[in-house]
Amino acid sequence: MYVFNPENIGSKMSIDDKAIGHEGFSILSNGETGKIAMMIESCKSVEVSQAISLFGNELKKVESISCDMSACYINVCSQELPRAKIVIDKFHVIQYVYDAVLDVRTRIKKELSGQLSKGKEKTEQDMEILRKLDVLKHCRYRLTQSPDKWSEAGIEVMSQVFENHNELSIAYNLTQKFKKWYNISNHIKPKTTIIQELHEWYLEAKKSEFDEFKSVVKMIRKHENEIINFFECKQTNAKAERLNGKINR
């Protein structure tokens, strides 16, 4: 399958991958209209780059392009769109941070399970551990939500979780502080302030000493400039993701 529509090139573009059946596709779409400019059956850097180069002078229109943290797409955008600002998709970054707090939850569950006695008869301590594990089982989704999204029952569950596991409370607060930093309303702040606040979050994450957050901080540091471009370009891969949904249907 191959799609090539130069008329759909605009100032804001998005590039994303899409699995259709057993094949992988790269889709270049207009970030404002959502229309496909290019679709090829490849996610290889060389082939995607060659395809995009066919747009020629049309590429001069592109001022910004959003993508995930794929080395392939970042390299392609740097080579073929050197004048365009690369914007790492906000939702991919936040997902990495949420994955870290979920990993903390998983570690705590494993530690608790390891404390259970081996015998068939359950001790009083075993029963307490099983109660804690049951509460942890019901908090997974809520750990990826803001507190204002919790129902009354959810608030009660999370209160128990954080009372029993201070580590999880600290990890969750780290995710919420990062999400607050990433709010689009912060685009009015000077870039120096945005950078300073991000670096303060790095320090807080490091202070927590959670192994689960070390790789996240490393990843954000590596792509810091492209992540911060979000506040200037105010662009995400949202339309590209909706386009993937249409392709599925």
Side-chain angles (χ1 to χ4, degrees):
M1 184 183 294
Y2 183 79
V3 176
F4 186 75
N5 296 321
E7 67 274 16
N8 289 335
I9 294 289
S11 61
K12 293 185 176 183
M13 301 297 293
S14 296
I15 188 166
D16 200 7
D17 64 322
K18 174 66 183 171
I20 302 176
H22 299 291
E23 305 301 331
F25 290 77
S26 291
I27 304 172
L28 180 70
S29 60
N30 190 301
E32 294 176 309
T33 67
K35 293 182 178 180
I36 296 176
M38 180 201 78
M39 181 172 175
I40 63 167
E41 190 177 339
S42 176
C43 293
K44 294 180 180 179
S45 181
V46 173
E47 293 175 352
V48 176
S49 184
Q50 288 175 343
I52 290 180
S53 68
L54 297 176
F55 286 102
N57 288 332
E58 292 293 324
L59 297 177
K60 293 179 180 179
K61 297 178 183 178
V62 184
E63 297 174 3
S64 63
I65 183 163
S66 62
C67 61
D68 58 22
M69 284 161 282
S70 159
C72 165
Y73 293 143
I74 290 175
N75 289 336
V76 167
C77 293
S78 298
Q79 292 172 14
E80 302 302 328
L81 299 161
R83 291 184 290 186
K85 286 186 178 295
I86 299 173
V87 183
I88 297 295
D89 181 53
K90 171 182 176 178
F91 301 107
H92 281 85
V93 180
I94 288 179
Q95 187 58 56
Y96 268 90
V97 179
Y98 274 141
D99 285 346
V101 72
L102 292 177
D103 287 343
V104 172
R105 168 183 170 271
T106 299
R107 172 169 56 81
I108 292 172
K109 285 178 65 182
K110 287 182 179 178
E111 290 170 354
L112 285 172
S113 297
Q115 295 171 20
L116 290 169
S117 57
K118 304 301 180 182
K120 291 183 179 179
E121 292 188 13
K122 298 301 179 187
T123 65
E124 188 174 329
Q125 182 181 356
D126 288 335
M127 297 306 293
E128 178 61 25
I129 290 173
L130 289 171
R131 280 193 291 271
K132 289 181 178 179
L133 285 170
D134 185 61
V135 175
L136 281 170
K137 184 173 71 175
H138 293 92
C139 78
R140 187 184 189 283
Y141 183 63
R142 294 182 178 100
L143 286 171
T144 63
Q145 292 180 314
S146 301
D148 60 339
K149 299 289 177 63
W150 297 340
S151 63
E152 289 186 14
I155 292 172
E156 186 176 343
V157 168
M158 297 311 294
S159 294
Q160 290 182 54
V161 169
F162 293 152
E163 184 178 342
N164 292 332
H165 311 288
N166 186 52
E167 276 187 304
L168 204 49
S169 175
I170 294 170
Y172 177 75
N173 286 332
L174 275 173
T175 66
Q176 293 307 300
K177 286 181 179 179
F178 184 78
K179 190 175 178 181
K180 184 178 179 181
W181 170 83
Y182 227 147
N183 194 297
I184 187 62
S185 64
N186 291 329
H187 78 277
I188 61 173
K189 295 180 179 179
K191 187 175 181 179
T192 52
T193 301
I194 291 172
I195 294 172
Q196 180 184 343
E197 291 176 349
L198 178 58
H199 288 188
E200 288 171 357
W201 184 84
Y202 291 158
L203 291 173
E204 191 168 349
K206 183 179 179 180
K207 187 179 178 181
S208 74
E209 297 185 346
F210 293 142
D211 288 339
E212 294 84 357
F213 277 84
K214 287 180 181 178
S215 60
V216 175
V217 171
K218 184 178 179 180
M219 177 275 298
I220 295 173
R221 280 188 183 276
K222 180 180 178 181
H223 300 292
E224 185 175 296
N225 290 334
E226 293 85 3
I227 288 172
I228 289 174
N229 280 343
F230 163 74
F231 295 100
E232 180 181 343
C233 302
K234 308 177 190 66
Q235 184 177 352
T236 69
N237 261 18
K239 279 192 169 62
E241 294 296 336
R242 285 197 287 272
L243 184 61
N244 279 346
K246 289 181 180 179
I247 292 171
N248 281 338
R249 291 192 292 274

